[in-house]
Amino acid sequence: MSMTGKTGLKNIGVGGGIILVFVIAWVTMVNAQTETEKKPTLPDANAKKENYIEVVAKVLSIEPIKGDVNVRLEFEPHGSFTKEDGTLARNLKLDINSSNGKQEITFEKGKRLTPTEAVLNMYDGNVTNYPFDKHQADLIFWFSVKPDKPAEKPKTTEENPAAKPTDEKPVSETKPATDETDEEEVEVPISFEFTPSLAGYKIESAKHKDSDETYVDTGMKISRSPMVIFFSVFVMLLMWAVSIAVLFLVLSVVVRGRKVEIAMFSFIATLLFAFATVRNSQPAVPPIGTLSDYISFFWAEVILALCLLTILFTWLLRPAAK
């Protein structure tokens, strides 16, 4: 086989290898973005009871700086809790651990169960550790039946002479009147489904041990998604690589006597301001002062600024070539 043929096969092999690496990297990125959604469901009340409330929870937004997780709950009553038209057949009360809102919400009989948004408090994490920050949050709620107000019976007193008279009993034998506030509220069975997914975040959820079919206590572990971490680390490495390249360029001018070109000034100055834009382009990045800034951004800015000043003063102080 001729040398030309061998060179052609070698080029094809190298090109095929590059394409294969690119395809593998692309598939890996797509798989990392399509994260598996974990849906922890409490014991299915529908399998045990006919009367229950179906609840579906979704994460709407996460604000690590404020420490808030916004969750929306959607409800659907079943069995004796709903009428044919979909409205409530009984009064219900929802207790939920919302950090800035009502923690007790009453749903009245004859009305629909409207969706409710709750803001959960994130804890056990520091947003300045971006992109490696991790947080936790808990979603706790339960339904209880609010007793209907009993109908008043007609009084057999002089105020209502038409009422049928009854034999009066001694006070000691008369049964005390029942106050509706003294009646114990009964917890309602719940069928719970949670979809903890949000772009840019990895959310792992699991129900706590004290959860049962009437009490929902779900914990969430929140961290940045693998793609966000990958992109942030890539930006940090890019800043270091470019800064070191510029440093070597300046050293070649200062130490080896390379000719100073005017384009070097604009090139370094552009990088000095462009790095701030690149830093802020990271997904959901907090203000300046995060861990990624201390690892790369601050160092890159200092190196570029010193390089710009060095090459500028070198150009000014070096004798002009004759």
Side-chain angles (χ1 to χ4, degrees):
M1 183 179 294
S2 63
M3 294 296 298
T4 304
K6 291 182 179 180
T7 303
L9 291 176
K10 182 179 180 180
N11 293 337
I12 292 174
V14 172
I18 294 174
I19 294 175
L20 180 62
V21 171
F22 174 79
V23 170
I24 293 175
W26 183 82
V27 172
T28 303
M29 292 179 66
V30 172
N31 290 335
Q33 177 62 25
T34 311
E35 299 178 3
T36 304
E37 296 181 353
K38 297 182 180 181
K39 300 181 179 180
T41 303
L42 296 179
D44 190 1
N46 192 22
K48 299 180 180 180
K49 301 178 182 295
E50 296 180 356
N51 309 318
Y52 67 100
I53 304 296
E54 182 180 353
V55 182
V56 177
K58 298 179 181 179
V59 177
L60 299 182
S61 63
I62 296 177
E63 300 182 18
I65 298 177
K66 296 176 62 177
D68 292 340
V69 180
N70 194 5
V71 178
R72 182 172 64 190
L73 303 177
E74 299 177 355
F75 314 106
E76 184 176 352
H78 294 272
S80 62
F81 296 104
T82 181
K83 298 179 181 179
E84 294 181 357
D85 58 356
T87 58
L88 284 174
R90 305 176 66 180
N91 292 330
L92 292 177
K93 186 180 73 172
L94 171 66
D95 291 87
I96 189 169
N97 65 324
S98 181
S99 60
N100 62 343
K102 292 184 178 180
Q103 295 188 351
E104 293 186 2
I105 304 174
T106 301
F107 299 96
E108 298 180 359
K109 176 182 177 180
K111 296 184 179 180
R112 295 184 179 275
L113 272 173
T114 56
T116 299
E117 292 188 7
V119 179
L120 309 179
N121 182 39
M122 290 199 307
Y123 61 93
D124 195 21
N126 192 347
V127 70
T128 57
N129 291 330
Y130 179 92
F132 307 106
D133 53 324
K134 297 181 180 180
H135 311 268
Q136 296 188 41
D138 295 322
L139 173 61
I140 304 173
F141 69 92
W142 67 91
F143 275 99
S144 57
V145 175
K146 188 175 182 180
D148 296 329
K149 185 177 181 180
E152 295 183 358
K153 297 182 180 180
K155 299 180 180 179
T156 58
T157 62
E158 295 179 357
E159 297 177 1
N160 188 7
K164 184 178 178 180
T166 56
D167 296 335
E168 294 184 359
K169 295 183 179 181
V171 177
S172 59
E173 298 180 4
T174 304
K175 184 178 180 180
T178 302
D179 187 358
E180 63 175 305
T181 58
D182 295 336
E183 297 184 17
E184 294 184 358
E185 295 181 347
V186 180
E187 294 184 354
V188 179
I190 299 173
S191 175
F192 178 58
E193 183 176 302
F194 185 35
T195 306
S197 78
L198 187 66
Y201 294 92
K202 179 182 178 182
I203 307 175
E204 299 178 353
S205 59
K207 59 182 180 180
H208 293 157
K209 295 180 180 180
D210 52 353
S211 294
D212 53 33
E213 64 178 12
T214 61
Y215 180 80
V216 176
D217 186 355
T218 301
M220 290 177 282
K221 294 182 179 180
I222 303 171
S223 59
R224 308 288 175 171
S225 66
M227 286 308 305
V228 171
I229 297 176
F230 170 81
F231 182 72
S232 180
V233 172
F234 172 77
V235 169
M236 288 187 279
L237 295 177
L238 178 64
M239 288 183 179
W240 269 111
V242 174
S243 301
I244 292 175
V246 172
L247 178 61
F248 286 157
L249 174 64
V250 173
L251 289 176
S252 67
V253 172
V254 176
V255 178
R256 300 175 59 185
R258 181 176 177 175
K259 180 182 178 181
V260 179
E261 300 178 7
I262 301 300
M264 294 179 181
F265 301 140
S266 59
F267 169 65
I268 300 176
T270 301
L271 288 177
L272 187 64
F273 295 98
F275 273 4
T277 303
V278 173
R279 183 264 176 204
N280 292 330
S281 67
Q282 300 176 86
V285 62
I288 291 178
T290 63
L291 178 63
S292 61
D293 297 329
Y294 286 97
I295 292 177
S296 65
F297 177 68
F298 292 156
W299 289 94
E301 290 290 290
V302 170
I303 292 173
L304 290 177
L306 293 177
C307 288
L308 180 60
L309 293 175
T310 300
I311 199 171
L312 178 61
F313 280 103
T314 300
W315 179 68
L316 291 174
L317 301 176
R318 177 177 293 177
K322 296 181 180 181

